[in-house]
Amino acid sequence: MMRFRSLISLLFLLFFTSSAYARLVSLNPSSTDLISDGVNSGEPLINSRSIIKTVVSAEEEACEQTYGFMPCTKTALGNVFLILVYGFLMFTAATYLSAGSELLLEILGPGIVGGLFLPMLGALPDAMLIMVSGLSGDAATAQTQVSVGMGLLAGSTVMLLTVIWGTCTVVGKCDLRDSIAVNNQDTKGFHLKDSGVTVDVWTSYAARIMAISVIPFIIVQLPQMVDSTSGRHLAVLVALILSVLMLISYCVYQVFQPWIQRRRLAFAKHKHVISGILRHLKQHALGRLLDDEGQPDEHVIRRLFETIDANKDGHLSAAELKALIIGISFEDIDFDKDDAVGKVLQDFDKTLDEQVDQEEFVRGIKRWLIQAMGAVGPSGPDAGPRTIKYLDHFHMQTKREHALLGDNENGENDEESGEVADPKWITIKAALLLLLGAAIAAAFADPLVDTVNNFSAATGIPSFFISFIALPLATNSSEAVSAIIFASRKKIRTASLTFSELCGGVTMNNILCLSVFLAIVYLRGLTWNFSSEVLVILIVCLVMGGFASFRTTYPLWTCFIAYLLYPFSLGLVYILDYWFGWS
């Protein structure tokens, strides 16, 4: 309600600042109507020629109002005020879109909503600003204003991967134990190596997708790389088609990603059951599971079968396998015992008679042991006398893999869960928030772009740098605050969601917002001359994407890399554009 009241107040302010009136002054040289100061009414203070010069000068300095009624000014201070006002309105639009998306996700679940709508709605304010920057006026005007759109595109990407990424690392840091963050434990302070965050493997996949999403930038930049002017328009078209195809592919992946995640998690749990059973069998074996040559010892495995076969009928039933699994401690990892029994039967029972005979048991255990040896690899402990260390290594590996897949079935977020009060009402509320956010973004995107250009003209500061620094603060502030608050909960799961969303936001910038930008450049016949800006996007995306693609723990020292990339990006664009004349 407070946000809605502040929005109404701003709208009233805009209305009244655009409703100023003054007395008309005659431009007729023979007119005797003079301007009075209200004191010396009998003495003419300003002659007609002065009036004409004043009015003509005022008309030359007049600014063009967006939509014919939105306030505008030519002064630097006035444009700063308008940028703040319009920026707050775009921030409000982003907040409404984010709130509506979360409510819709609560009702309809991830799938289609999480895969299609949420990424697009999150990038909608940026896409609106990019669109209006290239659609205003004739081609010459659009060519001048389109730098605002490129500044926003580059600024959003750089800000998400530098300032916000580094801040989320700082506020979400926990103690690192065996290179994994310990949930809700932060006793190491600001230790650069022993403190940090851990994310799941899905965040690594999101980082890889983000790195791949820069390919359209490389394609559109190819003619400049070879110093060719003939193929620039074609390169824009090819990059546009590719970015649209990548957008569709990314949305399809997001739709099926929850299903893929469940399958991967089920497989990780099954591997954990295998490691638990092997360790249990080793502890209760009358000899070593592996012989001196490192091969499974069939004699020992057969004696284990006889120990497990409670009724001595020569077969292991589902009930006997379940009793075996229940008697094993799996260290607080929850799973369906019946489902685990079913998977063990599926591994062992090749005759499909719902029971396991001794030969099937021996072959199954041998296959599991070989699988464990293959998973540990040559860097693990040797076989033979150190079999228990070998299996412990495999067990820790499967436990880590399970943790990094982001299982949330252990009640980690139970405090946040709850039944939806009224699905119908929440759906209506979500729709209204989405419509209101989209309407505000559509209405005030054009005035904001005009104001940025007016401020650039008044101060001499290139519009690219204004849009690079200021506009992302408006369009991404809601996302930034949400990410920082979420990261501050200091859990592996919340950190994973935070950094995955940052990578996802950059990916949508690189494919959705770039698609809009390329479509405008191609359809309006504009010139692509953004070499330095593209280079900055490539460097930041590849550095942070490459870093996050191959590791799941970010020590605290990594935040300095993120922070330093922001001023580096600004300085690089300035040097390349104004020292070396890149275009």
Side-chain angles (χ1 to χ4, degrees):
M1 180 62 70
M2 291 298 296
R3 191 185 298 124
F4 182 73
R5 288 177 180 174
S6 61
L7 175 62
I8 294 298
S9 301
L10 273 174
L11 292 176
F12 272 113
L13 178 62
L14 287 172
F15 174 77
F16 284 117
T17 54
S18 63
S19 304
Y21 296 94
R23 191 179 117 196
L24 292 177
V25 179
S26 174
L27 296 180
N28 186 358
S30 62
S31 174
T32 57
D33 291 340
L34 300 177
I35 298 176
S36 171
D37 62 357
V39 179
N40 299 317
S41 57
E43 299 180 7
L45 299 179
I46 305 177
N47 58 32
S48 301
R49 221 169 266 180
S50 300
I51 297 171
I52 295 173
K53 290 181 180 179
T54 303
V55 174
V56 171
S57 175
E59 287 182 349
E60 289 176 349
E61 295 178 359
C63 59
E64 183 179 352
Q65 293 179 317
T66 308
Y67 308 136
F69 66 89
M70 297 299 293
C72 67
T73 177
K74 288 287 186 178
T75 65
L77 189 58
N79 280 296
V80 168
F81 171 75
L82 289 179
I83 288 176
L84 292 176
V85 172
Y86 292 140
F88 177 80
L89 290 170
M90 294 301 293
F91 164 75
T92 303
T95 303
Y96 286 151
L97 289 170
S98 176
S101 300
E102 291 177 1
L103 289 176
L104 205 60
L105 182 63
E106 181 181 346
I107 296 295
L108 301 179
I112 298 293
V113 176
L116 294 176
F117 296 140
L118 295 191
M120 292 185 178
L121 290 172
L124 183 61
D126 287 355
M128 287 281 189
L129 285 168
I130 291 172
M131 183 182 300
V132 300
S133 70
L135 293 179
S136 302
D138 55 16
T141 303
Q143 184 67 56
T144 302
Q145 292 193 350
V146 79
S147 61
V148 175
M150 176 52 70
L152 173 62
L153 179 59
S156 295
T157 295
V158 172
M159 189 180 79
L160 288 173
L161 292 181
T162 58
V163 178
I164 299 178
W165 186 290
T167 303
C168 289
T169 303
V170 173
V171 302
K173 66 182 178 63
C174 298
D175 295 346
L176 297 181
R177 183 184 303 162
D178 296 327
S179 299
I180 297 180
V182 181
N183 286 341
N184 295 317
Q185 182 175 319
D186 186 15
T187 61
K188 300 293 180 64
F190 289 91
H191 197 284
L192 296 181
K193 292 183 178 180
D194 294 338
S195 182
V197 297
T198 296
V199 297
D200 56 25
V201 296
W202 303 104
T203 305
S204 298
Y205 298 155
R208 293 171 191 174
I209 293 173
M210 178 188 71
I212 294 172
S213 68
V214 302
I215 293 177
F217 283 105
I218 299 176
I219 292 177
V220 76
Q221 199 62 30
L222 284 177
Q224 280 87 340
M225 292 180 183
V226 298
D227 197 19
S228 171
T229 58
S230 58
R232 294 192 178 189
H233 203 56
L234 178 61
V236 171
L237 177 61
V238 173
L240 172 60
I241 295 173
L242 180 61
S243 61
V244 171
L245 291 177
M246 293 180 69
L247 174 62
I248 296 172
S249 302
Y250 180 69
C251 290
V252 171
Y253 168 77
Q254 289 290 87
V255 169
F256 290 101
Q257 195 263 356
W259 176 79
I260 298 172
Q261 185 173 1
R262 286 192 294 269
R263 292 292 301 272
R264 287 285 306 274
L265 186 59
F267 180 71
K269 287 184 176 182
H270 181 52
K271 284 181 64 177
H272 197 70
V273 170
I274 291 174
S275 68
I277 291 176
L278 290 178
R279 292 175 73 235
H280 178 80
L281 294 179
K282 172 58 187 173
Q283 291 169 357
H284 294 80
L286 300 177
R288 291 183 285 110
L289 290 177
L290 301 181
D291 57 25
D292 293 335
E293 298 180 356
Q295 298 299 318
D297 193 323
E298 290 191 15
H299 180 67
V300 174
I301 297 175
R302 291 182 188 277
R303 283 191 293 179
L304 282 171
F305 176 86
E306 294 172 357
T307 303
I308 301 172
D309 184 14
N311 56 11
K312 308 300 179 184
D313 63 349
H315 295 85
L316 298 181
S317 63
E320 289 172 323
L321 288 174
K322 185 174 182 179
L324 171 66
I325 291 174
I326 291 176
I328 300 175
S329 173
F330 289 95
E331 302 179 4
D332 299 328
I333 294 181
D334 294 334
F335 57 88
D336 189 334
K337 303 297 189 297
D338 293 327
D339 181 67
V341 170
K343 284 186 170 59
V344 171
L345 279 174
Q346 186 177 358
D347 275 1
F348 286 4
D349 181 22
K350 300 305 178 182
T351 59
L352 304 180
D353 57 356
E354 298 298 325
Q355 57 185 1
V356 179
D357 60 30
Q358 189 177 79
E359 292 302 320
E360 290 173 330
F361 182 80
V362 171
R363 286 195 298 269
I365 294 298
K366 288 173 64 177
R367 189 167 56 252
W368 280 3
L369 288 171
I370 294 173
Q371 178 183 347
M373 287 187 283
V376 173
S379 61
D382 295 332
R386 290 182 289 276
T387 306
I388 188 64
K389 295 181 180 180
Y390 202 95
L391 294 179
D392 284 343
H393 191 84
F394 176 62
H395 180 73
M396 292 302 298
Q397 186 183 56
T398 57
K399 184 179 178 182
R400 176 184 173 87
E401 180 181 349
H402 177 272
L404 294 180
L405 281 172
D407 185 15
N408 193 36
E409 295 181 6
N410 298 334
E412 185 176 298
N413 285 340
D414 286 345
E415 70 275 5
E416 300 173 9
S417 61
E419 294 185 0
V420 179
D422 187 352
K424 183 178 179 180
W425 162 244
I426 291 182
T427 303
I428 295 174
K429 183 179 179 181
L432 292 175
L433 286 172
L434 292 175
L435 288 174
L436 181 59
I440 294 174
F444 294 101
D446 197 13
L448 180 55
V449 171
D450 290 341
T451 303
V452 168
N453 283 303
N454 291 336
F455 180 75
S456 175
T459 60
I461 301 174
S463 58
F464 169 83
F465 291 102
I466 301 171
S467 56
F468 185 97
I469 298 172
L471 295 191
L473 296 176
T475 58
N476 294 321
S477 291
S478 176
E479 183 178 356
V481 172
S482 175
I484 293 171
I485 292 176
F486 216 53
S488 65
R489 296 177 184 177
K490 298 182 181 296
K491 294 181 180 179
I492 292 178
R493 177 170 175 78
T494 54
S496 302
L497 292 174
T498 296
F499 289 98
S500 293
E501 288 185 2
L502 292 180
C503 292
V506 173
T507 301
M508 292 306 294
N509 281 345
N510 292 345
I511 51 181
L512 175 60
C513 294
L514 180 62
S515 297
V516 174
F517 194 88
L518 290 173
I520 292 172
V521 171
Y522 181 78
L523 295 175
R524 303 213 62 183
L526 306 180
T527 302
W528 181 272
N529 53 0
F530 305 105
S531 299
S532 56
E533 294 85 346
V534 169
L535 180 61
V536 164
I537 293 174
L538 289 177
I539 291 175
V540 174
C541 286
L542 293 179
V543 169
M544 298 305 296
F547 167 79
S549 295
F550 300 104
R551 64 185 306 160
T552 54
T553 297
Y554 312 149
L556 187 60
W557 61 264
T558 60
C559 73
F560 293 107
I561 298 177
Y563 283 137
L564 290 175
L565 280 173
Y566 190 82
F568 168 80
S569 302
L570 273 174
L572 182 61
V573 172
Y574 181 81
I575 291 173
L576 293 179
D577 279 351
Y578 297 98
W579 286 16
F580 293 96
W582 275 33
S583 62

